[in-house]
Amino acid sequence: MRAIGLLLIVPVIMWCTQSVLLLRAGLPLRLRINASDLPRHLKRYNRVSTYVAFALVLIGYPVWRGQSPLAYYAAFFPLGRAPWGMLEGFAAAVLYLTLLYLAWLASDNIQFRVRHEPGRLVKRLVGVPFTALLVAFVEELLFRAVLLADLMESMNPWVAVVLGAAIFAGAHYVRSVKRYWTIGGHLGLGLLLCVAFACTHSLWLPMGLHAAGIVMLLGTRPFIRYDGPAWLVGASIFPYAGVAGIIGLALLTFDVFVRYGGP
């Protein structure tokens, strides 16, 4: 359970940094982590503090175990056929999500429409693969290689999977957000990624699944307008939080379990 204790350091660092920056800007302190009204030049420091907190956890956990960080994380990237899991996960997630978008399009729940000028559109799309890989890599290290691996050492694997999915989902709401009802989608996504890790004991498959979801989300956002009800198609910031998206995540989780076996 050491990982949970280390992860709790992250919101503490975020809140302390936010408080210092709010005082620097002459703004009142607040309990909620929400620094949207900070001046732009101070927001950079706020983001950097979050990255530093993640780095402290990622380095501190293996050191706490008496291992070097490089050796610890390398164990979750086995060679041989295992790396193909990343490609398989990416392809499976893209397939499921493409079918979901096609179903929404056929039922007039979304419309395809270019929403940006060509120059801005190209700039946004070029960065999508790099953002997807970076976010998937960091979050999988943090929530699977640290959190879930630690939980699986001290409790039943299925209990660890459920708890790991719940903590992963909750972490997305540490900061103040516009919508909280989307947590169902984050729980479904967390369960998918935790099952993928528990079944393979590596990060290749969950990284592929995770990166594909980000690519599809960011890559389609400039072209899609959501007309359907939120309970069905989710929110534009997280379209897989609606009923259709959660069902798709559940089917993909079942597919992963059948293909790769249980933990």
Side-chain angles (χ1 to χ4, degrees):
M1 304 292 281
R2 288 175 288 191
I4 294 179
L6 282 175
L7 284 173
L8 290 175
I9 294 175
V10 175
V12 172
I13 292 177
M14 292 169 63
W15 185 86
C16 290
T17 304
Q18 171 185 285
S19 298
V20 171
L21 295 175
L22 287 172
L23 291 174
R24 174 78 179 276
L27 297 171
L29 297 179
R30 63 199 62 158
L31 291 176
R32 199 76 178 89
I33 298 178
N34 178 14
S36 58
D37 54 345
L38 277 175
R40 189 170 183 178
H41 69 284
L42 292 180
K43 286 183 179 180
R44 287 197 295 267
Y45 295 105
N46 209 36
R47 287 193 294 270
V48 169
S49 71
T50 303
Y51 303 149
V52 169
F54 288 166
L56 288 175
V57 174
L58 290 175
I59 295 172
Y61 179 74
V63 170
W64 195 355
R65 294 171 56 95
Q67 297 177 253
S68 74
L70 183 60
Y72 177 77
Y73 294 114
F76 296 106
F77 291 97
L79 300 179
R81 192 189 179 283
W84 285 100
M86 185 170 182
L87 182 60
E88 292 171 355
F90 191 93
V94 168
L95 174 61
Y96 271 78
L97 295 175
T98 299
L99 293 175
L100 186 63
Y101 281 118
L102 289 176
W104 284 339
L105 182 64
S107 58
D108 291 326
N109 282 293
I110 61 172
Q111 296 179 24
F112 277 93
R113 183 184 307 165
V114 178
R115 298 164 56 185
H116 303 290
E117 295 296 324
R120 185 182 177 191
L121 181 62
V122 170
K123 185 177 179 180
R124 291 191 63 170
L125 293 180
V126 166
V128 167
F130 302 101
T131 300
L133 287 173
L134 178 61
V135 172
F137 179 70
V138 173
E139 290 197 356
E140 290 310 307
L141 287 180
L142 198 63
F143 291 103
R144 254 58 69 183
V146 172
L147 175 64
L148 184 54
D150 184 68
L151 293 175
M152 291 179 67
E153 288 182 353
S154 58
M155 60 182 67
N156 178 279
W158 285 116
V159 175
V161 163
V162 173
L163 182 57
I167 294 175
F168 171 79
H172 288 80
Y173 299 86
V174 169
R175 291 186 186 274
S176 181
V177 296
K178 292 181 179 179
R179 306 172 183 87
Y180 289 91
W181 59 265
T182 53
I183 192 169
H186 282 109
L187 284 169
L189 176 61
L191 189 61
L192 167 64
L193 299 174
C194 286
V195 167
F197 176 81
C199 289
T200 61
H201 298 284
S202 83
L203 291 177
W204 293 115
L205 179 61
M207 271 191 61
L209 292 165
H210 202 157
I214 298 172
V215 165
M216 292 294 288
L217 176 61
L218 298 183
T220 59
R221 189 182 296 174
F223 304 98
I224 289 181
R225 177 178 177 179
Y226 293 84
D227 296 325
W231 65 266
L232 178 63
V233 299
S236 60
I237 190 67
F238 189 46
Y240 319 131
V243 171
I246 293 174
I247 292 174
L249 287 169
L251 291 174
L252 183 52
T253 302
F254 179 74
D255 190 10
V256 166
F257 174 77
V258 170
R259 178 171 176 79
Y260 293 94

